[in-house]
Amino acid sequence: AELGSSEAHYHLGIVYYCGLDDVKEDKARGIHHFQKAAMKGDAESRHWLGFIEFEEGGYDLAVQHYMISAKMGHEESLTAIRDMFMEGCATKAQYAESSLGYRDAVKETKS
């Protein structure tokens, strides 16, 4: 990935995880690239990691990933936590903390 660019890692994550652009699907490699991008602060990659964990039944880890990306201003992650809270897979405190973090991130972006 382009000098460790989080955007490049994110795009490689999508390509490998989904098997796009004539690239053979390789979920482990896709996850690796999402992790690299997430560690560099990419909210969309962090959201994908939450989605993958959720799909595999790793609700605690999914909530953690979603909380981090929600606090970065990622609206889909906040919605995911809300849905998990409604289904009993996340706590009210986790949803509230994510909600406040999301609000602060959005406020920060606008100022």
Side-chain angles (χ1 to χ4, degrees), residues 42-92:
D42 186 74
E44 186 65 32
S45 293
R46 185 67 71 176
H47 178 81
W48 265 89
L49 291 171
F51 170 77
I52 292 164
E53 286 294 339
F54 181 83
E55 290 294 303
E56 294 177 356
Y59 301 135
D60 290 341
L61 271 177
V63 169
Q64 288 176 26
H65 286 302
Y66 286 147
M67 286 180 75
I68 293 168
S69 51
K71 291 176 185 179
M72 296 167 79
H74 195 276
E75 189 173 2
E76 285 178 67
S77 293
L78 182 60
T79 301
I81 292 172
R82 182 202 63 208
D83 293 347
M84 289 181 75
F85 166 62
M86 301 296 272
E87 294 168 14
C89 299
T91 67
K92 186 176 184 176

